[in-house]
């Protein structure tokens, strides 16, 4: 049966959820067992399964390991030096508790545009938690806003890798991608970052142990706002041994996160090696649906199946690209429709899913409720705005 790869992948995901949620098996071990299960069901040789796991862990952690470790260290230093408290108290004074969510949204967009999503997340997460503590609101409420903004900017705008590759693949005008992208991004992040948290009910969760401040700093103990943004005043009552202790604690707390994300990379690589992406691409190649909807839908399916956003988007571009001239579709809108599809609901085969879950200390259920719904809202609202734009441009 040609559809067997999809069936095995689906069963692998179910097995992973059962192992983790019912039997409480560690996420790293559950991911590796699920990866081996899918590989064996696909009749991959044991040597090939081992090689896929090696390649998946290596390619994922080769990109993310140092980013996560140093991001955790940066966050711990911000908390322990009082820098996070200084930034949060200053923003609260300037914007007030009622408007601070909008400030986080703007900051998330800027950081998501300027750097890799993982870097933006790890820099902003301690600030979000500190601001939430000062404002006495659940940190997840601001966390959802921050992630919604950062992932949207990261997915829609060059010079990020995915949208830049799509501009090239579709031969689109980069300036028009930016102009239409702003029109798409603004209502998208308002829906997923401002409105969605209001609909999710109780978001009160314990503050992650890594970012829980052990003291409340007085004004004299905290570095200035400028120093808090760009550096840390190590000499402000802290010896080098204290600073190194922050380093050690940060690495200890985040080590398991790194291993779980690496195991997620192994699961993703096994899935890609089964050829499920090629099967989905062949299945959709002869459809007569609008290229905008098809590009979005194929990218969503591939992202769900493989967990690889850029690969999914480029694969979809190769399928629907030849249809642009036939249907006379705006190339910039094709970029944005495909990019919106890559910024969609993801699950256990996506490193960003595990980063969000483990860093914020959530259960898989709560991760689907927060990360999953905000990403789904990003994707669906983004497509709807693109379709509306296609009526007038």
């Amino acid at each position: 049966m040609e559809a067997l790869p999809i069936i095995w992948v689906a069963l692998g995901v179910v097995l992973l959820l059962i192992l983790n949620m019912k039997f409480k098996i560690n996420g790293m071990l559950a991911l590796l067992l699920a990866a081996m299960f899918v590989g064996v069901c696909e009749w991959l040789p044991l040597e090939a399964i081992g090689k896929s796991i090696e390649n998946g862990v290596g390619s994922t952690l080769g990109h993310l390991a140092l980013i996560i470790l140093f991001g955790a260290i940066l966050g711990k230093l911000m908390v322990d030096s009082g820098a996070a408290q200084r930034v949060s108290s200053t923003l609260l004074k300037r914007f007030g508790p009622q408007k601070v969510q909008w400030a986080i949204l703007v900051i998330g967009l800027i950081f998501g545009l300027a750097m890799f999503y993982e870097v933006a997340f790890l820099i902003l997460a301690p600030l979000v938690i500190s601001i939430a503590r000062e404002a006495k609101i659940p940190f997840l409420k601001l966390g959802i806003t921050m992630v919604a903004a950062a992932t949207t900017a990261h997915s829609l705008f060059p010079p990020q890798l995915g949208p830049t590759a799509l501009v090239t693949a579709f031969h689109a005008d980069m300036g028009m991608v930016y102009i239409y992208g702003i029109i798409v991004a603004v209502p998208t992040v308002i829906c997923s970052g401002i409105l969605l948290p209001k609909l999710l009910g109780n978001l009160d969760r314990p503050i992650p142990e890594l970012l829980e401040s052990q003291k409340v700093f007085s004004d004299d103990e905290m570095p200035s706002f400028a120093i808090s943004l760009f550096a840390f005043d190590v000499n402000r009552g802290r010896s080098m041994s204290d600073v190194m202790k922050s380093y050690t604690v940060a690495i200890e707390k985040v080590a398991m996160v790194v291993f779980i994300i690496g195991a997620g990379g192994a699961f993703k690589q096994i899935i890609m090696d089964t050829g499920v992406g090629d099967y989905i691409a062949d299945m959709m190649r002869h459809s007569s649906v609008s290229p905008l909807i098809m590009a979005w839908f194929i990218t969503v399916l591939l992202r769900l199946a493989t967990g690889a956003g850029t690969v999914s988007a480029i694969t979809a571009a190769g399928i629907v690209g030849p249809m642009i001239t036939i249907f006379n579709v705006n190339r910039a809108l094709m970029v944005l429709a495909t990019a919106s599809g890559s910024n969609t609901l993801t699950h256990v085969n996506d490193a960003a899913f595990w980063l969000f879950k483990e860093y914020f200390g959530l259960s898989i259920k709560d991760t689907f409720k927060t990360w999953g719904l905000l990403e789904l809202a990003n994707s669906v609202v983004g497509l709807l705005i693109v379709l509306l734009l296609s009526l007038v441009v």
Side-chain angles (χ1 to χ4, degrees):
M1 290 177 61
E2 292 183 353
L4 275 178
I6 293 181
I7 295 174
W8 298 138
V9 170
L11 289 176
V13 172
V14 171
L15 173 64
L16 170 61
L17 296 177
I18 291 174
L19 290 175
N20 189 264
M21 298 175 71
K22 182 176 178 59
F23 295 103
K24 309 300 180 184
I25 292 178
N26 178 271
M28 180 189 72
L29 181 59
L31 280 163
L32 291 176
L33 289 173
M36 289 187 283
F37 169 80
V38 173
V40 169
C41 289
E42 268 296 296
W43 293 99
L44 294 177
L46 293 181
E47 182 180 354
I49 294 174
K51 192 67 177 176
S52 291
I53 291 175
E54 178 185 337
N55 291 338
V57 173
S59 62
T60 301
L61 293 187
H63 167 59
L64 288 179
L66 289 179
I67 291 176
I68 294 171
L69 288 174
F70 281 105
I73 290 169
L74 178 63
K76 185 62 174 172
L77 284 175
M78 292 181 73
V79 171
D80 290 350
S81 67
Q85 184 179 330
R86 170 67 77 185
V87 173
S88 61
S89 61
T90 301
L91 288 176
L92 281 174
K93 288 178 182 176
R94 296 284 175 85
F95 293 96
Q98 301 303 319
K99 296 181 181 179
V100 73
Q101 197 173 5
W102 292 92
I104 293 295
L105 186 146
V106 173
I107 294 171
L109 284 171
I110 294 171
F111 274 66
L113 176 62
M115 58 190 70
F116 288 121
Y117 164 72
E118 293 84 4
V119 179
F121 176 88
L122 290 165
I123 290 176
L124 293 177
L127 294 179
V128 162
I129 290 175
S130 184
I131 291 171
R133 185 190 298 114
E134 291 267 338
K136 294 180 173 54
I137 59 177
F139 76 86
L140 268 181
K141 182 177 181 180
L142 296 184
I144 290 172
T145 302
M146 177 267 287
V147 170
T151 54
T152 296
H154 179 81
S155 299
L156 296 184
F157 296 109
Q160 296 296 344
L161 179 60
T164 300
L166 289 175
V167 167
T168 301
F170 287 127
H171 305 287
D173 184 305
M174 189 172 292
M176 297 310 297
V177 170
Y178 270 103
I179 292 172
Y180 294 149
I182 293 171
I183 298 174
V184 172
V186 171
T188 297
V189 296
I190 289 175
C191 288
S192 59
I194 302 296
L195 299 180
L196 179 63
K198 299 179 185 298
L199 303 176
L200 290 179
N202 182 20
L203 291 173
D204 199 9
R205 299 292 186 279
I207 292 175
E209 186 178 352
L210 172 64
L211 299 177
E212 190 170 9
S213 179
Q214 300 301 314
K215 65 174 292 187
V216 176
F217 294 88
S218 67
D219 195 66
D220 291 336
E221 291 177 312
M222 292 185 289
S224 69
F225 183 70
I227 290 177
S228 297
L229 289 178
F230 300 110
F232 303 105
D233 191 352
V234 176
N235 295 322
R236 185 178 287 270
R238 303 189 75 219
S239 65
M240 185 56 69
S241 62
D242 288 336
V243 174
M244 290 300 101
K245 183 178 179 181
S246 293
Y247 271 68
T248 302
V249 170
I251 293 173
E252 288 174 351
K253 298 297 184 184
V254 84
M256 184 52 69
V257 177
V258 172
F259 283 114
I260 289 174
I261 289 173
F267 188 40
K268 178 183 74 174
Q269 189 63 46
I270 286 283
I271 290 173
M272 295 179 71
D273 290 347
T274 65
V276 66
D278 294 334
Y279 173 77
I280 293 173
D282 291 337
M283 180 176 64
M284 297 298 298
R285 195 177 299 277
H286 304 294
S287 175
S288 59
V289 179
S290 162
L292 291 172
I293 298 176
M294 185 187 295
W296 178 86
F297 186 62
I298 293 173
T299 309
V300 168
L301 288 180
L302 291 171
R303 184 72 197 273
L304 286 169
T306 67
T310 301
V311 172
S312 302
I314 295 303
T315 303
I319 296 171
V320 301
M323 301 174 65
I324 290 179
T325 53
I326 299 174
F327 285 85
N328 194 27
V329 181
N330 186 288
R331 294 177 184 272
L333 294 184
M334 283 294 293
V335 170
L336 295 171
T338 310
S340 295
S342 70
N343 187 28
T344 192
L345 166 70
T346 62
H347 56 96
V348 293
N349 61 356
D350 179 23
F353 175 94
W354 291 103
L355 180 62
F356 187 94
K357 174 191 180 299
E358 296 297 326
Y359 204 83
F360 284 152
L362 304 177
S363 66
I364 285 185
K365 178 182 177 181
D366 283 340
T367 308
F368 276 116
K369 176 183 175 182
T370 51
W371 164 267
L373 288 181
L374 80 86
E375 287 291 87
L376 181 61
N378 274 344
S379 186
V380 173
V381 175
L383 174 65
L384 291 177
I385 302 302
V386 168
L387 292 177
L388 290 175
L389 281 173
S390 70
L391 300 177
V392 296
V393 299

